[in-house]
Amino acid sequence: MKNRFWKCASVVLAAALAVPAPSWALGYTQTKYPIVLVHGLLGFDNIGPVEYFYGIPSSLRSGGATVYTTSVSAANSTEVRGEQLLFQVKQIIAATRLEKVNLIGHSHGGPTSRYVASVRPDLIASVSSVAGVNKGSKVADIALGLVPGVTSTLANAVASLLSFLSGSGGLPQNGRAALTSLSTAGTAAFNARHPAGLPTTACGEGAYVVNGVHYFSWSGGKSWTNALDALDPIFLLTGAAIGEKNDGLVASCKSHLGRTIRDDYGMNHADEVNQLIGIVNLFETSPVTVFRQQANRLQALGL
């Protein structure tokens, strides 16, 4: 009888250990390498109490992750932003005495992260692209075609203001370079130089691992998600111009990179990073949860 009891107890224990830990479990987001968050166009680290990745860093840290939020030019070319990010990655590696980091980039932060992984794969454990502009944005194409100079001048002004408010006023801003990098033609040129993780089919997946770097992506597929969000009408307008499933700024299929987790979350381009200040789709998984799940996915891979 006693032997039978211990056999049953062993089976129950083994089954319990085989079940994935719940998202609230201690250590759920604790990765081997630091998580480094990279903002997109007209982005910032924080302005007062408002974070670009709203509530995400603290939630990741609560589960054991070491998290850094970087600040690069709000508007500039992918290469310029990439070099700025690379400099900060080296600083983080020096501070933590760990040889690599996990990059998670939103929007323009996707190709910005890809640039660093391309030129210094030895420093990068993974790149996770959140609604990354990996094959261009029709919205950028349209913006470049508007009254010459007006759109880029406006982008410069907004970027400079955001950088000043976030304490990063010394970073160079170049609205036209940013829009060119995000355009279909500009992205195609960038991809020819930095192709790692890109799908070879229209809406497929790319290589999961290239030069030791793991590639992931996810994105939303709705432009209007919450009537209380002041940004939703903008995304409804810009999303209508894209002509295929999108999050208001980036076509879902064109955001794919490496292993595609999902491209149809009920989120728009701001919801994906829990903006505007957490006003997101009430009937979809919380963006914070999605980031926590990705951290746990990295943990499972030993990253």
Side-chain angles (χ1 to χ4, degrees):
M1 176 70 87
K2 186 179 291 186
N3 289 338
R4 184 180 298 175
F5 169 80
W6 286 113
K7 285 181 181 179
C8 291
S10 298
V11 170
V12 171
L13 179 60
L17 292 174
V19 176
S23 63
W24 46 262
L26 184 65
Y28 181 79
T29 63
Q30 188 171 354
T31 54
K32 178 179 180 180
Y33 302 113
I35 292 174
V36 177
L37 303 176
V38 187
H39 65 73
L41 176 68
L42 302 183
F44 49 90
D45 49 1
N46 64 280
I47 296 177
V50 179
E51 301 170 296
Y52 180 90
F53 293 91
Y54 191 72
I56 291 170
S58 59
S59 182
L60 291 173
R61 291 182 184 117
S62 71
T66 298
V67 184
Y68 291 86
T69 303
T70 56
S71 183
V72 297
S73 291
N76 218 313
S77 71
T78 302
E79 289 83 356
V80 167
R81 286 166 49 95
E83 285 295 322
Q84 294 168 354
L85 176 59
L86 177 57
F87 179 76
Q88 292 172 72
V89 165
K90 290 177 179 177
Q91 289 182 315
I92 292 167
I93 287 174
T96 60
R97 297 185 179 180
L98 295 169
E99 63 270 24
K100 296 183 180 185
V101 300
N102 292 297
L103 296 175
I104 303 182
H106 174 245
S107 190
H108 199 181
T112 302
S113 299
R114 287 172 48 209
Y115 172 86
V116 177
S118 177
V119 299
R120 288 300 306 270
D122 56 309
L123 302 181
I124 309 302
S126 69
V127 170
S128 299
S129 174
V130 184
V133 190
N134 294 317
K135 289 196 173 179
S137 171
K138 191 172 182 179
V139 176
D141 294 341
I142 294 171
L144 280 172
L146 296 177
V147 181
V150 172
T151 308
S152 55
T153 299
L154 178 61
N156 281 341
V158 175
S160 296
L161 176 61
L162 290 172
S163 293
F164 173 76
L165 293 175
S166 65
S168 304
L171 293 171
Q173 310 298 335
N174 188 328
R176 184 161 188 84
L179 292 173
T180 299
S181 283
L182 296 171
S183 68
T184 302
T187 303
F190 176 81
N191 289 345
R193 299 188 293 271
H194 310 285
L198 286 172
T200 56
T201 57
C203 200
E205 292 187 303
Y208 286 15
V209 184
V210 181
N211 293 329
V213 180
H214 293 249
Y215 288 89
F216 303 87
S217 62
W218 72 85
S219 64
K222 294 188 70 175
S223 54
W224 181 282
T225 60
N226 193 316
L228 298 178
D229 191 340
L231 297 176
D232 277 35
I234 299 173
F235 291 130
L236 187 64
L237 179 63
T238 54
I242 294 177
E244 58 182 296
K245 185 179 71 174
N246 65 83
D247 66 357
L249 283 180
V250 179
S252 300
C253 281
K254 293 182 178 177
S255 70
H256 288 198
L257 182 75
R259 177 184 173 185
T260 302
I261 307 303
R262 274 183 63 180
D263 70 357
D264 61 350
Y265 283 107
M267 303 177 186
N268 61 33
H269 204 67
D271 293 345
E272 291 149 352
V273 290
N274 205 35
Q275 290 290 354
L276 185 70
I277 57 173
I279 303 175
V280 297
N281 191 343
L282 298 177
F283 304 100
E284 179 56 276
T285 304
S286 165
V288 177
T289 298
V290 176
F291 273 79
R292 287 176 60 85
Q293 290 171 340
Q294 179 62 3
N296 185 253
R297 195 173 286 116
L298 297 174
Q299 179 193 98
L301 290 169
L303 305 176

